[in-house]
Amino acid sequence: MRYRHCSRENSQPKQSNFNGRVSNMVGNPLLDDYHKDKGSFEFLWNHGVLSDEMWANITEHCSFGPSDGILCKEAKLPFNFRNFVGNIYLYNIYAPICIHAPNGTAYSSSYLASFDPCISNYITVYFNSPEVQKAIHARIKTHWSNCTRFLPKDTPKTMVPTISWLVNTRLRVWVYSGDMDYVCPITVMRYSVKDLNLTVTKPWRPWYTPANEVGGYIQQYEGGFTFASVRGAGHTVPSFQPKRSLVLFYSFLKGVLPPAISLWHP
């Protein structure tokens, strides 16, 4: 169950340097192939998309590792998106979708502030314009697309040892996840973080925005490794929750955890 955008090539880290210590922040990355399979099914089940019966059958016959054989394959075989998931936006399962009308126009199925599900339509037309290609010094008559399914797969099955090495070399690492993303869901992230086997120094708690909203949840581990969620966000977190993303990013730059206390009191 590997999908475009959920790749290590597209999980570009943001870098900062404070207190003489280089830091990296990466959002919704793919860290482990086997956890990706298990966590993705679990995410759908947790959100009421996958039935109890199918989830039970999959977990009974799959260990989600290299030893899985024909029984696991048969358990997952009945699952397909058209029948079991339907027409939803996989990068945020609660977001509107892009509707393509018979007359060639495209429009959003509903309104979500700061997000347009049809944006890839406009970008594709724009970058395939000969005038634009000439202006940006690209090869003329080259077809541009906003994504490709044919990324090179020369990466390891898991990046957990690499993350461990970075933490051990005192590189401050923050990993965050939009909690409505199916493509690289938070359930996958939690399994990978657990595999790091780091001691918790600041337990899981909510963090707040200046508007007194819960922006998400966060936990910090030895070595400064930090795992955070952004509430109500999909795969590209800033496009769904720009204000909450800014709070988290500002905290990362300052080298402190986002606020733990709401200013609002009933």
Side-chain angles (χ1 to χ4, degrees):
M1 297 175 69
R2 193 182 188 102
Y3 292 91
R4 56 182 182 152
H5 286 315
C6 187
S7 67
R8 300 177 188 112
E9 292 83 355
N10 285 297
S11 302
Q12 296 298 327
K14 303 176 180 68
Q15 277 201 350
S16 176
N17 190 314
F18 48 86
N19 298 329
R21 190 173 174 187
V22 177
S23 307
N24 278 271
M25 185 182 198
V26 61
N28 289 75
L30 173 60
L31 297 180
D32 186 282
D33 284 351
Y34 297 119
H35 289 328
K36 172 67 173 70
D37 202 21
K38 180 180 181 179
S40 296
F41 278 117
E42 185 175 351
F43 178 85
L44 293 178
W45 177 69
N46 283 335
H47 286 268
V49 178
L50 196 66
S51 70
D52 291 347
E53 293 75 17
M54 179 165 287
W55 174 237
N57 192 40
I58 290 173
T59 53
E60 179 182 353
H61 295 98
C62 299
S63 63
F64 301 99
S67 63
D68 280 341
I70 187 64
L71 292 179
C72 175
K73 184 177 181 180
E74 290 177 349
K76 294 187 291 186
L77 190 61
F79 178 83
N80 67 71
F81 282 94
R82 184 177 296 275
N83 294 335
F84 289 95
V85 178
N87 190 20
I88 63 175
Y89 189 62
L90 300 180
Y91 301 95
N92 182 337
I93 65 171
Y94 297 108
I97 60 173
C98 184
I99 302 296
H100 297 273
N103 63 2
T105 61
Y107 60 93
S108 178
S109 61
S110 60
Y111 175 75
L112 178 64
S114 78
F115 175 69
D116 182 355
C118 300
I119 190 169
S120 62
N121 295 42
Y122 322 140
I123 295 175
T124 301
V125 172
Y126 179 77
F127 279 110
N128 280 306
S129 166
E131 292 80 9
V132 172
Q133 291 180 351
K134 181 178 179 181
I136 63 176
H137 306 288
R139 286 178 295 175
I140 305 299
K141 297 182 180 180
T142 298
H143 179 73
W144 184 92
S145 63
N146 69 323
C147 194
T148 177
R149 293 182 182 273
F150 304 104
L151 292 170
K153 296 181 180 179
D154 58 350
T155 53
K157 290 289 184 182
T158 178
M159 292 296 292
V160 170
T162 302
I163 299 295
S164 296
W165 179 82
L166 293 173
V167 174
N168 290 336
T169 55
R170 302 191 73 250
L171 179 71
R172 194 187 306 265
V173 179
W174 281 38
V175 178
Y176 64 94
S177 181
D179 61 9
M180 293 184 177
D181 174 32
Y182 162 74
V183 177
C184 279
I186 189 171
T187 44
V188 175
M189 286 296 308
R190 298 181 91 157
Y191 283 123
S192 296
V193 170
K194 184 178 180 180
D195 282 352
L196 291 170
N197 198 29
L198 296 172
T199 301
V200 175
T201 56
K202 295 182 180 179
W204 189 258
R205 64 158 175 85
W207 58 270
Y208 289 86
T209 70
N212 298 318
E213 294 181 325
V214 173
Y217 299 85
I218 197 163
Q219 183 160 288
Q220 196 164 66
Y221 302 77
E222 61 179 309
F225 178 83
T226 304
F227 175 45
S229 72
V230 181
R231 190 170 67 91
H235 186 68
T236 50
V237 172
S239 67
F240 294 101
Q241 294 292 343
K243 293 181 180 179
R244 294 173 188 176
S245 299
L246 184 60
V247 172
L248 188 64
F249 188 47
Y250 178 78
S251 300
F252 165 73
L253 292 176
K254 297 291 289 184
V256 297
L257 297 185
I261 301 175
S262 171
L263 300 178
W264 179 80
H265 299 284

